[in-house]
Amino acid sequence: MAEEKDLSLNAVRAFVQVARDSSVTRASKALGITQSSVSRHLAVLEDYFGAKLLERRGRQSRLTDFGRLFADAVAEPLDTILFTAKRMRRNDRKDANHLVVRTSLSTFAYTVLIPNLRDFSQEMGGVTVDVISSLSAPNGTDNFDVLLTRDLTLTEPADRWDVYDEQLVCVGAPDCVAGRGLDALRTTPVIAVTSRPDILPTWLRGMDLKTSEIKTGARYDHHYLALPAVTTGQTLLVTPHIVVADLIKQGLLQVLPGSRAPSGMQYRAYAVDRGGNPDIARAFCRWLTRLCRKTMEDESGGR
């Protein structure tokens, strides 16, 4: 009976890095080993499976169907293993369980991110997450591990997650919306949010409406200031769906029927390469992506 081969974790790690970078050269730099070492690791894996994992075309490496299947299956569990091992090292630095998240999405942070951070902390074994808000573009000297944004650009090396395609809806208190359609816009004031001057024009275009067809109301600097006004008064608010999903689920707000329109904007999370805790940062971005998906699924299921 032939002796069972052991699977090399180092070989798996090298393959996952090649799959992410689509290049043996870039993978070797990321791992801090030689290209020949990466190639040996790949050969070990292909010998183990008896199947090709990569098709090499010059400097580019393309996954085979088998390679893609294996990479998709092991990439996230491997990150979890490496993160857990690093966190449990006795000589690891004191701030290993600390993450700094910088965001330009203050209302999203207030309504979606911060209320759920306890779950992430517990999932990661007690990680502390600092949240800072800034509308200015970050630079290379700013101290943060994750950038969460819709409108800012990041020029430094980072891994990117697309966490939410922004959908706009018009909402109001249930007694203000119940039984009404878009005709409510003519008689019920629509609150304006000055920090997002793009929202109302974008939504009107998406709904094929003109400014003259709605009744304008009070003005607030931010959505988180406008939310108490719309939940307690006879007003309407055009807002990103995700920031009011929980209020809708609780029955405090209701979507005006037929008022959904995409804004064309995308919420993105970046785990910066120079961050002090890249493993935790990537775990956070994956968790946030799942949270956004679950938030919208739960709200849709509750209607």
mmCIF file of all heavy atoms in Angstrom, residues 71-121:
data_model
loop_
_atom_site.group_PDB
_atom_site.id
_atom_site.type_symbol
_atom_site.label_atom_id
_atom_site.label_comp_id
_atom_site.label_asym_id
_atom_site.label_seq_id
_atom_site.Cartn_x
_atom_site.Cartn_y
_atom_site.Cartn_z
ATOM 1 N N ALA A 71 -8.444 27.129 -5.087
ATOM 2 C CA ALA A 71 -8.150 28.449 -4.518
ATOM 3 C C ALA A 71 -9.375 29.027 -3.821
ATOM 4 O O ALA A 71 -9.283 29.570 -2.709
ATOM 5 C CB ALA A 71 -7.665 29.401 -5.613
ATOM 6 N N ASP A 72 -10.541 28.924 -4.443
ATOM 7 C CA ASP A 72 -11.764 29.448 -3.849
ATOM 8 C C ASP A 72 -12.095 28.730 -2.549
ATOM 9 O O ASP A 72 -12.640 29.327 -1.610
ATOM 10 C CB ASP A 72 -12.940 29.316 -4.818
ATOM 11 C CG ASP A 72 -12.842 30.271 -5.998
ATOM 12 O OD1 ASP A 72 -12.046 31.224 -5.910
ATOM 13 O OD2 ASP A 72 -13.544 30.057 -7.004
ATOM 14 N N ALA A 73 -11.755 27.452 -2.475
ATOM 15 C CA ALA A 73 -12.109 26.661 -1.300
ATOM 16 C C ALA A 73 -11.196 26.928 -0.110
ATOM 17 O O ALA A 73 -11.634 26.876 1.038
ATOM 18 C CB ALA A 73 -12.085 25.166 -1.653
ATOM 19 N N VAL A 74 -9.906 27.208 -0.377
ATOM 20 C CA VAL A 74 -8.948 27.255 0.738
ATOM 21 C C VAL A 74 -8.469 28.654 1.106
ATOM 22 O O VAL A 74 -7.877 28.838 2.175
ATOM 23 C CB VAL A 74 -7.708 26.374 0.432
ATOM 24 C CG1 VAL A 74 -8.114 24.945 0.171
ATOM 25 C CG2 VAL A 74 -6.897 26.942 -0.736
ATOM 26 N N ALA A 75 -8.715 29.670 0.253
ATOM 27 C CA ALA A 75 -8.123 30.989 0.503
ATOM 28 C C ALA A 75 -8.567 31.573 1.839
ATOM 29 O O ALA A 75 -7.739 32.012 2.656
ATOM 30 C CB ALA A 75 -8.463 31.949 -0.636
ATOM 31 N N GLU A 76 -9.870 31.613 2.095
ATOM 32 C CA GLU A 76 -10.346 32.223 3.340
ATOM 33 C C GLU A 76 -9.984 31.384 4.573
ATOM 34 O O GLU A 76 -9.526 31.943 5.579
ATOM 35 C CB GLU A 76 -11.852 32.467 3.266
ATOM 36 C CG GLU A 76 -12.374 33.259 4.458
ATOM 37 C CD GLU A 76 -13.772 33.826 4.229
ATOM 38 O OE1 GLU A 76 -14.171 33.972 3.059
ATOM 39 O OE2 GLU A 76 -14.447 34.100 5.223
ATOM 40 N N PRO A 77 -10.158 30.043 4.562
ATOM 41 C CA PRO A 77 -9.706 29.256 5.715
ATOM 42 C C PRO A 77 -8.215 29.415 5.994
ATOM 43 O O PRO A 77 -7.797 29.441 7.160
ATOM 44 C CB PRO A 77 -10.040 27.811 5.315
ATOM 45 C CG PRO A 77 -11.170 27.949 4.352
ATOM 46 C CD PRO A 77 -10.893 29.206 3.589
ATOM 47 N N LEU A 78 -7.402 29.545 4.946
ATOM 48 C CA LEU A 78 -5.968 29.743 5.143
ATOM 49 C C LEU A 78 -5.706 31.063 5.853
ATOM 50 O O LEU A 78 -4.888 31.134 6.774
ATOM 51 C CB LEU A 78 -5.245 29.708 3.799
ATOM 52 C CG LEU A 78 -3.731 29.946 3.856
ATOM 53 C CD1 LEU A 78 -3.039 28.836 4.637
ATOM 54 C CD2 LEU A 78 -3.142 30.055 2.452
ATOM 55 N N ASP A 79 -6.398 32.137 5.433
ATOM 56 C CA ASP A 79 -6.245 33.428 6.109
ATOM 57 C C ASP A 79 -6.605 33.318 7.588
ATOM 58 O O ASP A 79 -5.957 33.917 8.451
ATOM 59 C CB ASP A 79 -7.130 34.489 5.449
ATOM 60 C CG ASP A 79 -6.551 35.008 4.142
ATOM 61 O OD1 ASP A 79 -5.348 34.772 3.912
ATOM 62 O OD2 ASP A 79 -7.285 35.641 3.370
ATOM 63 N N THR A 80 -7.653 32.561 7.884
ATOM 64 C CA THR A 80 -8.072 32.379 9.279
ATOM 65 C C THR A 80 -7.010 31.646 10.083
ATOM 66 O O THR A 80 -6.698 32.019 11.219
ATOM 67 C CB THR A 80 -9.401 31.602 9.333
ATOM 68 O OG1 THR A 80 -10.402 32.323 8.614
ATOM 69 C CG2 THR A 80 -9.855 31.416 10.776
ATOM 70 N N ILE A 81 -6.426 30.616 9.491
ATOM 71 C CA ILE A 81 -5.361 29.870 10.169
ATOM 72 C C ILE A 81 -4.175 30.770 10.461
ATOM 73 O O ILE A 81 -3.646 30.810 11.585
ATOM 74 C CB ILE A 81 -4.922 28.669 9.307
ATOM 75 C CG1 ILE A 81 -6.038 27.624 9.237
ATOM 76 C CG2 ILE A 81 -3.643 28.032 9.874
ATOM 77 C CD1 ILE A 81 -5.783 26.528 8.226
ATOM 78 N N LEU A 82 -3.725 31.523 9.452
ATOM 79 C CA LEU A 82 -2.549 32.376 9.621
ATOM 80 C C LEU A 82 -2.820 33.483 10.632
ATOM 81 O O LEU A 82 -1.964 33.831 11.454
ATOM 82 C CB LEU A 82 -2.140 32.967 8.274
ATOM 83 C CG LEU A 82 -1.681 31.946 7.213
ATOM 84 C CD1 LEU A 82 -1.432 32.637 5.889
ATOM 85 C CD2 LEU A 82 -0.433 31.218 7.689
ATOM 86 N N PHE A 83 -4.039 34.070 10.563
ATOM 87 C CA PHE A 83 -4.391 35.118 11.513
ATOM 88 C C PHE A 83 -4.415 34.587 12.937
ATOM 89 O O PHE A 83 -3.870 35.198 13.866
ATOM 90 C CB PHE A 83 -5.760 35.710 11.165
ATOM 91 C CG PHE A 83 -6.400 36.458 12.290
ATOM 92 C CD1 PHE A 83 -5.927 37.702 12.656
ATOM 93 C CD2 PHE A 83 -7.457 35.906 12.996
ATOM 94 C CE1 PHE A 83 -6.502 38.389 13.709
ATOM 95 C CE2 PHE A 83 -8.032 36.574 14.049
ATOM 96 C CZ PHE A 83 -7.562 37.821 14.404
ATOM 97 N N THR A 84 -5.044 33.424 13.134
ATOM 98 C CA THR A 84 -5.153 32.858 14.476
ATOM 99 C C THR A 84 -3.786 32.512 15.035
ATOM 100 O O THR A 84 -3.481 32.788 16.211
ATOM 101 C CB THR A 84 -6.036 31.599 14.450
ATOM 102 O OG1 THR A 84 -7.320 31.934 13.921
ATOM 103 C CG2 THR A 84 -6.209 31.027 15.842
ATOM 104 N N ALA A 85 -2.933 31.929 14.206
ATOM 105 C CA ALA A 85 -1.586 31.576 14.654
ATOM 106 C C ALA A 85 -0.794 32.821 15.047
ATOM 107 O O ALA A 85 -0.099 32.838 16.077
ATOM 108 C CB ALA A 85 -0.859 30.806 13.548
ATOM 109 N N LYS A 86 -0.923 33.890 14.237
ATOM 110 C CA LYS A 86 -0.203 35.124 14.546
ATOM 111 C C LYS A 86 -0.703 35.751 15.840
ATOM 112 O O LYS A 86 0.069 36.221 16.678
ATOM 113 C CB LYS A 86 -0.351 36.117 13.391
ATOM 114 C CG LYS A 86 0.398 37.421 13.615
ATOM 115 C CD LYS A 86 0.239 38.343 12.418
ATOM 116 C CE LYS A 86 0.980 39.652 12.652
ATOM 117 N NZ LYS A 86 0.828 40.588 11.516
ATOM 118 N N ARG A 87 -2.029 35.735 16.023
ATOM 119 C CA ARG A 87 -2.603 36.358 17.218
ATOM 120 C C ARG A 87 -2.207 35.617 18.495
ATOM 121 O O ARG A 87 -2.081 36.220 19.569
ATOM 122 C CB ARG A 87 -4.128 36.383 17.092
ATOM 123 C CG ARG A 87 -4.846 37.002 18.265
ATOM 124 C CD ARG A 87 -6.309 37.239 17.967
ATOM 125 N NE ARG A 87 -7.008 36.037 17.586
ATOM 126 C CZ ARG A 87 -7.496 35.143 18.464
ATOM 127 N NH1 ARG A 87 -7.330 35.333 19.745
ATOM 128 N NH2 ARG A 87 -8.129 34.079 18.049
ATOM 129 N N MET A 88 -2.001 34.313 18.392
ATOM 130 C CA MET A 88 -1.719 33.501 19.576
ATOM 131 C C MET A 88 -0.232 33.407 19.909
ATOM 132 O O MET A 88 0.142 32.819 20.924
ATOM 133 C CB MET A 88 -2.306 32.106 19.387
ATOM 134 C CG MET A 88 -3.832 32.108 19.330
ATOM 135 S SD MET A 88 -4.569 30.474 19.147
ATOM 136 C CE MET A 88 -4.187 29.760 20.752
ATOM 137 N N ARG A 89 0.613 33.986 19.068
ATOM 138 C CA ARG A 89 2.043 33.993 19.378
ATOM 139 C C ARG A 89 2.298 34.777 20.653
ATOM 140 O O ARG A 89 1.853 35.908 20.820
ATOM 141 C CB ARG A 89 2.844 34.631 18.236
ATOM 142 C CG ARG A 89 3.007 33.745 17.029
ATOM 143 C CD ARG A 89 3.721 34.482 15.919
ATOM 144 N NE ARG A 89 5.024 34.950 16.332
ATOM 145 C CZ ARG A 89 5.759 35.838 15.661
ATOM 146 N NH1 ARG A 89 5.279 36.350 14.545
ATOM 147 N NH2 ARG A 89 6.934 36.195 16.099
ATOM 148 N N ARG A 90 3.030 34.208 21.581
ATOM 149 C CA ARG A 90 3.269 34.860 22.876
ATOM 150 C C ARG A 90 4.113 36.108 22.746
ATOM 151 O O ARG A 90 3.991 37.029 23.549
ATOM 152 C CB ARG A 90 3.965 33.879 23.831
ATOM 153 C CG ARG A 90 3.069 32.717 24.225
ATOM 154 C CD ARG A 90 3.770 31.803 25.188
ATOM 155 N NE ARG A 90 2.861 30.716 25.544
ATOM 156 C CZ ARG A 90 2.681 30.297 26.783
ATOM 157 N NH1 ARG A 90 3.300 30.888 27.767
ATOM 158 N NH2 ARG A 90 1.880 29.294 27.031
ATOM 159 N N ASN A 91 4.975 36.149 21.742
ATOM 160 C CA ASN A 91 5.865 37.307 21.597
ATOM 161 C C ASN A 91 5.333 38.326 20.607
ATOM 162 O O ASN A 91 6.051 39.207 20.164
ATOM 163 C CB ASN A 91 7.267 36.857 21.167
ATOM 164 C CG ASN A 91 7.259 36.192 19.798
ATOM 165 O OD1 ASN A 91 6.203 35.803 19.311
ATOM 166 N ND2 ASN A 91 8.435 36.042 19.206
ATOM 167 N N ASP A 92 4.046 38.201 20.219
ATOM 168 C CA ASP A 92 3.487 39.163 19.271
ATOM 169 C C ASP A 92 3.358 40.519 19.942
ATOM 170 O O ASP A 92 3.244 40.633 21.160
ATOM 171 C CB ASP A 92 2.118 38.683 18.780
ATOM 172 C CG ASP A 92 1.852 39.126 17.348
ATOM 173 O OD1 ASP A 92 2.671 39.876 16.820
ATOM 174 O OD2 ASP A 92 0.825 38.709 16.796
ATOM 175 N N ARG A 93 3.305 41.577 19.141
ATOM 176 C CA ARG A 93 3.288 42.913 19.706
ATOM 177 C C ARG A 93 1.972 43.205 20.402
ATOM 178 O O ARG A 93 0.947 42.607 20.131
ATOM 179 C CB ARG A 93 3.564 43.962 18.632
ATOM 180 C CG ARG A 93 2.656 43.905 17.445
ATOM 181 C CD ARG A 93 3.254 44.682 16.289
ATOM 182 N NE ARG A 93 2.360 44.714 15.155
ATOM 183 C CZ ARG A 93 1.436 45.622 14.968
ATOM 184 N NH1 ARG A 93 1.275 46.568 15.849
ATOM 185 N NH2 ARG A 93 0.675 45.593 13.908
ATOM 186 N N LYS A 94 1.960 44.175 21.315
ATOM 187 C CA LYS A 94 0.830 44.429 22.201
ATOM 188 C C LYS A 94 -0.416 44.878 21.468
ATOM 189 O O LYS A 94 -1.516 44.663 21.954
ATOM 190 C CB LYS A 94 1.222 45.481 23.245
ATOM 191 C CG LYS A 94 2.288 44.995 24.219
ATOM 192 C CD LYS A 94 2.608 46.059 25.250
ATOM 193 C CE LYS A 94 3.675 45.568 26.224
ATOM 194 N NZ LYS A 94 4.018 46.596 27.232
ATOM 195 N N ASP A 95 -0.275 45.518 20.312
ATOM 196 C CA ASP A 95 -1.456 46.027 19.618
ATOM 197 C C ASP A 95 -1.920 45.092 18.500
ATOM 198 O O ASP A 95 -2.580 45.501 17.567
ATOM 199 C CB ASP A 95 -1.180 47.421 19.047
ATOM 200 C CG ASP A 95 -0.067 47.405 18.002
ATOM 201 O OD1 ASP A 95 0.652 46.405 17.939
ATOM 202 O OD2 ASP A 95 0.060 48.402 17.275
ATOM 203 N N ALA A 96 -1.591 43.792 18.630
ATOM 204 C CA ALA A 96 -1.970 42.835 17.596
ATOM 205 C C ALA A 96 -3.482 42.688 17.476
ATOM 206 O O ALA A 96 -3.980 42.276 16.440
ATOM 207 C CB ALA A 96 -1.334 41.476 17.879
ATOM 208 N N ASN A 97 -4.216 42.992 18.531
ATOM 209 C CA ASN A 97 -5.677 42.881 18.510
ATOM 210 C C ASN A 97 -6.323 44.249 18.392
ATOM 211 O O ASN A 97 -7.351 44.515 19.022
ATOM 212 C CB ASN A 97 -6.181 42.170 19.775
ATOM 213 C CG ASN A 97 -6.053 40.666 19.649
ATOM 214 O OD1 ASN A 97 -5.708 40.156 18.593
ATOM 215 N ND2 ASN A 97 -6.317 39.965 20.720
ATOM 216 N N HIS A 98 -5.732 45.101 17.574
ATOM 217 C CA HIS A 98 -6.228 46.467 17.433
ATOM 218 C C HIS A 98 -6.299 46.838 15.961
ATOM 219 O O HIS A 98 -5.387 46.554 15.195
ATOM 220 C CB HIS A 98 -5.295 47.426 18.180
ATOM 221 C CG HIS A 98 -5.754 48.845 18.168
ATOM 222 N ND1 HIS A 98 -5.087 49.839 17.489
ATOM 223 C CD2 HIS A 98 -6.830 49.450 18.753
ATOM 224 C CE1 HIS A 98 -5.722 50.987 17.656
ATOM 225 N NE2 HIS A 98 -6.781 50.777 18.405
ATOM 226 N N LEU A 99 -7.411 47.471 15.563
ATOM 227 C CA LEU A 99 -7.625 47.830 14.159
ATOM 228 C C LEU A 99 -8.156 49.253 14.091
ATOM 229 O O LEU A 99 -9.010 49.644 14.891
ATOM 230 C CB LEU A 99 -8.642 46.876 13.520
ATOM 231 C CG LEU A 99 -8.788 46.900 12.001
ATOM 232 C CD1 LEU A 99 -7.550 46.282 11.355
ATOM 233 C CD2 LEU A 99 -10.037 46.144 11.572
ATOM 234 N N VAL A 100 -7.645 50.030 13.126
ATOM 235 C CA VAL A 100 -8.123 51.399 12.911
ATOM 236 C C VAL A 100 -8.849 51.449 11.571
ATOM 237 O O VAL A 100 -8.257 51.170 10.527
ATOM 238 C CB VAL A 100 -6.969 52.417 12.925
ATOM 239 C CG1 VAL A 100 -7.507 53.829 12.657
ATOM 240 C CG2 VAL A 100 -6.236 52.378 14.261
ATOM 241 N N VAL A 101 -10.132 51.791 11.603
ATOM 242 C CA VAL A 101 -10.954 51.903 10.403
ATOM 243 C C VAL A 101 -11.251 53.378 10.159
ATOM 244 O O VAL A 101 -11.819 54.053 11.020
ATOM 245 C CB VAL A 101 -12.275 51.125 10.545
ATOM 246 C CG1 VAL A 101 -13.149 51.337 9.307
ATOM 247 C CG2 VAL A 101 -11.994 49.643 10.761
ATOM 248 N N ARG A 102 -10.862 53.852 8.998
ATOM 249 C CA ARG A 102 -11.139 55.236 8.607
ATOM 250 C C ARG A 102 -12.251 55.230 7.552
ATOM 251 O O ARG A 102 -12.215 54.422 6.620
ATOM 252 C CB ARG A 102 -9.883 55.878 8.037
ATOM 253 C CG ARG A 102 -10.111 57.266 7.429
ATOM 254 C CD ARG A 102 -8.804 57.900 7.053
ATOM 255 N NE ARG A 102 -8.990 59.131 6.305
ATOM 256 C CZ ARG A 102 -8.083 60.109 6.226
ATOM 257 N NH1 ARG A 102 -6.934 59.981 6.868
ATOM 258 N NH2 ARG A 102 -8.321 61.187 5.531
ATOM 259 N N THR A 103 -13.224 56.126 7.709
ATOM 260 C CA THR A 103 -14.342 56.119 6.776
ATOM 261 C C THR A 103 -14.800 57.525 6.434
ATOM 262 O O THR A 103 -14.713 58.433 7.253
ATOM 263 C CB THR A 103 -15.530 55.318 7.351
ATOM 264 O OG1 THR A 103 -16.594 55.303 6.393
ATOM 265 C CG2 THR A 103 -16.038 55.918 8.660
ATOM 266 N N SER A 104 -15.277 57.684 5.207
ATOM 267 C CA SER A 104 -15.928 58.928 4.789
ATOM 268 C C SER A 104 -17.446 58.774 4.825
ATOM 269 O O SER A 104 -18.177 59.686 4.448
ATOM 270 C CB SER A 104 -15.487 59.300 3.360
ATOM 271 O OG SER A 104 -15.877 58.296 2.433
ATOM 272 N N LEU A 105 -17.922 57.621 5.317
ATOM 273 C CA LEU A 105 -19.352 57.304 5.347
ATOM 274 C C LEU A 105 -19.845 57.362 6.787
ATOM 275 O O LEU A 105 -20.071 56.339 7.435
ATOM 276 C CB LEU A 105 -19.598 55.916 4.753
ATOM 277 C CG LEU A 105 -19.039 55.674 3.354
ATOM 278 C CD1 LEU A 105 -19.192 54.217 2.953
ATOM 279 C CD2 LEU A 105 -19.718 56.585 2.339
ATOM 280 N N SER A 106 -20.032 58.561 7.310
ATOM 281 C CA SER A 106 -20.366 58.715 8.717
ATOM 282 C C SER A 106 -21.723 58.114 9.073
ATOM 283 O O SER A 106 -21.871 57.465 10.116
ATOM 284 C CB SER A 106 -20.321 60.195 9.113
ATOM 285 O OG SER A 106 -21.165 60.969 8.276
ATOM 286 N N THR A 107 -22.734 58.326 8.233
ATOM 287 C CA THR A 107 -24.055 57.776 8.539
ATOM 288 C C THR A 107 -24.046 56.260 8.443
ATOM 289 O O THR A 107 -24.645 55.567 9.275
ATOM 290 C CB THR A 107 -25.122 58.356 7.605
ATOM 291 O OG1 THR A 107 -25.130 59.779 7.736
ATOM 292 C CG2 THR A 107 -26.504 57.829 7.950
ATOM 293 N N PHE A 108 -23.384 55.717 7.438
ATOM 294 C CA PHE A 108 -23.257 54.263 7.320
ATOM 295 C C PHE A 108 -22.563 53.690 8.554
ATOM 296 O O PHE A 108 -22.982 52.659 9.094
ATOM 297 C CB PHE A 108 -22.471 53.916 6.057
ATOM 298 C CG PHE A 108 -22.195 52.448 5.895
ATOM 299 C CD1 PHE A 108 -23.135 51.613 5.340
ATOM 300 C CD2 PHE A 108 -20.983 51.919 6.285
ATOM 301 C CE1 PHE A 108 -22.886 50.247 5.193
ATOM 302 C CE2 PHE A 108 -20.717 50.574 6.154
ATOM 303 C CZ PHE A 108 -21.667 49.734 5.602
ATOM 304 N N ALA A 109 -21.512 54.369 9.012
ATOM 305 C CA ALA A 109 -20.814 53.916 10.213
ATOM 306 C C ALA A 109 -21.730 53.957 11.426
ATOM 307 O O ALA A 109 -21.740 53.041 12.260
ATOM 308 C CB ALA A 109 -19.569 54.771 10.455
ATOM 309 N N TYR A 110 -22.539 55.015 11.529
ATOM 310 C CA TYR A 110 -23.426 55.217 12.669
ATOM 311 C C TYR A 110 -24.562 54.207 12.695
ATOM 312 O O TYR A 110 -24.926 53.688 13.765
ATOM 313 C CB TYR A 110 -23.989 56.641 12.609
ATOM 314 C CG TYR A 110 -25.005 56.983 13.670
ATOM 315 C CD1 TYR A 110 -24.618 57.265 14.979
ATOM 316 C CD2 TYR A 110 -26.360 57.060 13.357
ATOM 317 C CE1 TYR A 110 -25.554 57.591 15.940
ATOM 318 C CE2 TYR A 110 -27.304 57.378 14.312
ATOM 319 C CZ TYR A 110 -26.900 57.646 15.611
ATOM 320 O OH TYR A 110 -27.830 57.963 16.563
ATOM 321 N N THR A 111 -25.134 53.893 11.525
ATOM 322 C CA THR A 111 -26.333 53.062 11.488
ATOM 323 C C THR A 111 -26.061 51.583 11.247
ATOM 324 O O THR A 111 -26.846 50.726 11.678
ATOM 325 C CB THR A 111 -27.299 53.554 10.387
ATOM 326 O OG1 THR A 111 -26.626 53.524 9.121
ATOM 327 C CG2 THR A 111 -27.770 54.969 10.678
ATOM 328 N N VAL A 112 -24.976 51.254 10.542
ATOM 329 C CA VAL A 112 -24.732 49.863 10.160
ATOM 330 C C VAL A 112 -23.469 49.301 10.801
ATOM 331 O O VAL A 112 -23.503 48.239 11.446
ATOM 332 C CB VAL A 112 -24.632 49.724 8.618
ATOM 333 C CG1 VAL A 112 -24.363 48.267 8.223
ATOM 334 C CG2 VAL A 112 -25.909 50.223 7.958
ATOM 335 N N LEU A 113 -22.351 49.996 10.648
ATOM 336 C CA LEU A 113 -21.073 49.448 11.083
ATOM 337 C C LEU A 113 -20.960 49.346 12.602
ATOM 338 O O LEU A 113 -20.767 48.258 13.156
ATOM 339 C CB LEU A 113 -19.928 50.301 10.526
ATOM 340 C CG LEU A 113 -18.517 49.958 11.030
ATOM 341 C CD1 LEU A 113 -18.169 48.518 10.689
ATOM 342 C CD2 LEU A 113 -17.498 50.927 10.454
ATOM 343 N N ILE A 114 -21.054 50.482 13.290
ATOM 344 C CA ILE A 114 -20.782 50.518 14.731
ATOM 345 C C ILE A 114 -21.723 49.622 15.537
ATOM 346 O O ILE A 114 -21.270 48.917 16.448
ATOM 347 C CB ILE A 114 -20.789 51.969 15.240
ATOM 348 C CG1 ILE A 114 -19.605 52.725 14.614
ATOM 349 C CG2 ILE A 114 -20.712 52.032 16.762
ATOM 350 C CD1 ILE A 114 -19.588 54.213 14.896
ATOM 351 N N PRO A 115 -23.040 49.592 15.241
ATOM 352 C CA PRO A 115 -23.908 48.705 16.027
ATOM 353 C C PRO A 115 -23.547 47.223 15.925
ATOM 354 O O PRO A 115 -23.982 46.429 16.769
ATOM 355 C CB PRO A 115 -25.302 48.971 15.425
ATOM 356 C CG PRO A 115 -25.220 50.345 14.863
ATOM 357 C CD PRO A 115 -23.828 50.440 14.320
ATOM 358 N N ASN A 116 -22.776 46.832 14.900
ATOM 359 C CA ASN A 116 -22.436 45.424 14.701
ATOM 360 C C ASN A 116 -20.983 45.086 15.024
ATOM 361 O O ASN A 116 -20.581 43.924 14.869
ATOM 362 C CB ASN A 116 -22.741 45.026 13.255
ATOM 363 C CG ASN A 116 -24.221 44.971 12.965
ATOM 364 O OD1 ASN A 116 -24.915 44.039 13.356
ATOM 365 N ND2 ASN A 116 -24.723 45.997 12.287
ATOM 366 N N LEU A 117 -20.204 46.071 15.461
ATOM 367 C CA LEU A 117 -18.779 45.832 15.706
ATOM 368 C C LEU A 117 -18.526 44.808 16.815
ATOM 369 O O LEU A 117 -17.515 44.115 16.803
ATOM 370 C CB LEU A 117 -18.071 47.148 16.050
ATOM 371 C CG LEU A 117 -17.672 48.015 14.859
ATOM 372 C CD1 LEU A 117 -16.973 49.280 15.345
ATOM 373 C CD2 LEU A 117 -16.773 47.249 13.892
ATOM 374 N N ARG A 118 -19.449 44.740 17.761
ATOM 375 C CA ARG A 118 -19.267 43.765 18.836
ATOM 376 C C ARG A 118 -19.198 42.351 18.281
ATOM 377 O O ARG A 118 -18.414 41.519 18.757
ATOM 378 C CB ARG A 118 -20.405 43.892 19.851
ATOM 379 C CG ARG A 118 -20.291 42.925 21.022
ATOM 380 C CD ARG A 118 -21.464 43.065 21.972
ATOM 381 N NE ARG A 118 -21.378 42.121 23.068
ATOM 382 C CZ ARG A 118 -22.310 41.962 23.984
ATOM 383 N NH1 ARG A 118 -23.404 42.710 23.944
ATOM 384 N NH2 ARG A 118 -22.173 41.065 24.950
ATOM 385 N N ASP A 119 -20.021 42.066 17.265
ATOM 386 C CA ASP A 119 -20.008 40.733 16.654
ATOM 387 C C ASP A 119 -18.654 40.439 16.016
ATOM 388 O O ASP A 119 -18.120 39.337 16.145
ATOM 389 C CB ASP A 119 -21.111 40.621 15.598
ATOM 390 C CG ASP A 119 -22.504 40.656 16.204
ATOM 391 O OD1 ASP A 119 -22.638 40.388 17.416
ATOM 392 O OD2 ASP A 119 -23.458 40.979 15.474
ATOM 393 N N PHE A 120 -18.101 41.438 15.312
ATOM 394 C CA PHE A 120 -16.790 41.235 14.694
ATOM 395 C C PHE A 120 -15.724 41.017 15.757
ATOM 396 O O PHE A 120 -14.879 40.133 15.631
ATOM 397 C CB PHE A 120 -16.413 42.435 13.828
ATOM 398 C CG PHE A 120 -15.011 42.374 13.287
ATOM 399 C CD1 PHE A 120 -14.697 41.495 12.261
ATOM 400 C CD2 PHE A 120 -14.008 43.170 13.821
ATOM 401 C CE1 PHE A 120 -13.403 41.404 11.766
ATOM 402 C CE2 PHE A 120 -12.709 43.095 13.332
ATOM 403 C CZ PHE A 120 -12.406 42.209 12.303
ATOM 404 N N SER A 121 -15.754 41.817 16.821
ATOM 405 C CA SER A 121 -14.767 41.693 17.886
ATOM 406 C C SER A 121 -14.804 40.307 18.513
ATOM 407 O O SER A 121 -13.762 39.681 18.741
ATOM 408 C CB SER A 121 -15.019 42.767 18.956
ATOM 409 O OG SER A 121 -14.080 42.649 20.008
#
